[in-house]
Amino acid sequence: MYAMTMVLNHPYSQVIDMVNEQLAEEKFGVVSDINVQAVLKKKLDVEYPGYRILGACKPGIAKQIADAEPDAGVLLPCSILVRENNDGTTTVAFMDPVTVLGLCDNTEVNKLAEEAKAELLRVMQRLENLN
């Protein structure tokens, strides 16, 4: 599966902050933040529920991946989707780095992907504890 998904019983805007805080605990930085809701409103003039794609990066791991497989940058950063549900809950989906970076047939990259996945699973566990 390409994503690890959870539903939180918190409002969308609060979950954005919660995800950013928990990523920081694992030393991930958010290097991109795509507000799909705003883009769809601006470009298509449509109303859409909250939908953000955060690009999370841990510089040390990213550098090691790029050193081991220079073109693997097309698979980075780790995407995290935060989307608003109709019932007041919020879905958070984390890209599974093992699945995505498994596209590289490189043992070193695969080990780094396992490390990144373990860290993202810790983020998910802490978010679940806040639920």
Side-chain angles (χ1 to χ4, degrees):
M1 190 56 143
Y2 59 87
M4 305 172 294
T5 304
M6 65 190 315
V7 177
L8 298 175
N9 296 314
H10 296 280
Y12 168 78
S13 60
Q14 184 180 356
V15 172
I16 296 286
D17 293 336
M18 292 166 62
V19 168
N20 279 302
E21 289 167 12
Q22 296 311 314
L23 285 169
E25 287 290 318
E26 289 292 333
K27 308 292 189 247
F28 279 89
V30 174
V31 296
S32 63
D33 183 346
I34 304 166
N35 186 336
V36 175
Q37 178 187 39
V39 170
L40 293 176
K41 179 65 177 167
K42 181 178 180 181
K43 299 291 185 180
L44 301 176
D45 195 29
V46 296
E47 297 298 326
Y48 203 77
Y51 196 102
R52 300 253 297 265
I53 303 168
L54 307 175
C57 178
K58 192 161 188 180
I61 290 177
K63 182 191 178 305
Q64 291 176 69
I65 290 170
D67 288 347
E69 186 79 33
D71 291 338
V74 300
L75 304 173
L76 301 175
C78 292
S79 292
I80 300 163
L81 170 64
V82 181
R83 65 178 172 82
E84 186 176 26
N85 300 322
N86 292 334
D87 63 1
T89 64
T90 304
T91 296
V92 183
F94 293 78
M95 178 188 89
D96 183 345
V98 171
T99 299
V100 174
L101 290 167
L103 294 169
C104 299
D105 192 19
N106 183 309
T107 304
E108 186 174 347
V109 170
N110 295 338
K111 287 194 309 192
L112 292 163
E114 291 283 352
E115 181 181 335
K117 181 174 183 172
E119 292 171 350
L120 291 174
L121 287 170
R122 286 194 296 268
V123 169
M124 291 181 73
Q125 183 60 58
R126 283 197 301 277
L127 287 168
E128 185 63 41
N129 291 341
L130 296 171
N131 207 10

